[in-house]
């Protein structure tokens, strides 16, 4: 995993336990926790929008969002221009999200992967570089 990254992280109640463990896993990085701050029921957009704004503004290099399926946080984050939030449930998808799609927010489905798998996915997401080339042309066509 690359060092010196600025990472914004957030998630709802379903992602709370994984979020806390991933923050510990990311020791050595600059990480800001945008909540939630407990496992009490809450609404994922309340955390996905601030993380997306932090990445969109350039204040943070990347983001991580975690909810039960990964879908809610991805849908919310992808409403922001300049955000490419990718749901990843295995290591290959994390690699492609970065290398082919230049994803800048990793969305994890806490109810569908183990914590150990989540950590492997995070490690790959923050190791792999965007390949550019033919993929850059495609990524450039995403914004509306």
């Amino acid at each position: 995993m690359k060092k010196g990254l600025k990472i914004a992280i957030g998630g709802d109640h379903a992602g709370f336990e994984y979020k806390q463990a991933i923050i510990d896993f990311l020791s050595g990085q600059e990480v800001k926790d945008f909540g939630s701050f407990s496992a009490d029921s809450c609404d994922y957009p309340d955390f996905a929008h601030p993380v997306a704004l932090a990445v969109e503004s350039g204040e943070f290099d990347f983001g991580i969002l975690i909810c039960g399926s990964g879908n809610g946080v991805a849908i919310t984050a992808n409403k922001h221009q300049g955000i490419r939030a990718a749901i990843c449930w295995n290591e290959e998808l994390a690699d492609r999200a970065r290398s082919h799609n230049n994803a800048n927010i990793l969305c994890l489905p806490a109810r569908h992967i183990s914590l150990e798998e989540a950590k492997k996915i995070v490690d790959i997401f923050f190791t792999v570089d965007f390949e550019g080339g033919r993929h850059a042309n495609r990524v450039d066509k995403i914004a509306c």
Side-chain angles (χ1 to χ4, degrees):
M1 181 181 318
K2 295 175 186 161
K3 295 294 181 190
L5 298 173
K6 294 176 69 175
I7 302 168
I9 190 168
D12 68 2
H13 55 281
F16 177 73
E17 180 185 328
Y18 280 31
K19 180 176 64 76
Q20 297 308 113
I22 289 169
I23 289 170
D24 291 341
F25 179 70
L26 291 170
S27 65
Q29 307 292 355
E30 182 181 334
V31 179
K32 181 173 180 182
D33 185 353
F34 284 83
S36 86
F37 299 104
S38 78
D40 295 341
S41 182
C42 57
D43 300 329
Y44 56 81
D46 295 340
F47 312 101
H49 283 302
V51 168
L53 286 168
V55 175
E56 185 178 34
S57 73
E59 182 182 357
F60 289 84
D61 302 311
F62 294 100
I64 300 173
L65 289 167
I66 312 165
C67 70
S69 69
N71 285 310
V73 292
I75 290 167
T76 303
N78 279 319
K79 297 293 182 190
H80 295 261
Q81 289 297 318
I83 294 300
R84 293 169 305 283
I87 305 169
C88 299
W89 59 88
N90 65 38
E91 296 167 59
E92 183 179 4
L93 288 172
D95 179 283
R96 295 309 181 281
R98 286 290 306 129
S99 64
H100 290 195
N101 306 119
N102 201 16
N104 52 13
I105 295 183
L106 169 63
C107 300
L108 296 169
R111 291 185 176 147
H112 301 278
I113 60 174
S114 70
L115 179 56
E116 288 310 308
E117 184 67 17
K119 289 177 183 177
K120 291 176 187 176
I121 292 166
V122 167
D123 185 52
I124 287 172
F125 192 85
F126 295 123
T127 300
V128 173
D129 289 320
F130 179 49
E131 291 178 7
R134 71 184 193 278
H135 304 295
N137 186 49
R138 296 168 186 156
V139 170
D140 289 343
K141 293 179 178 182
I142 292 173
C144 339

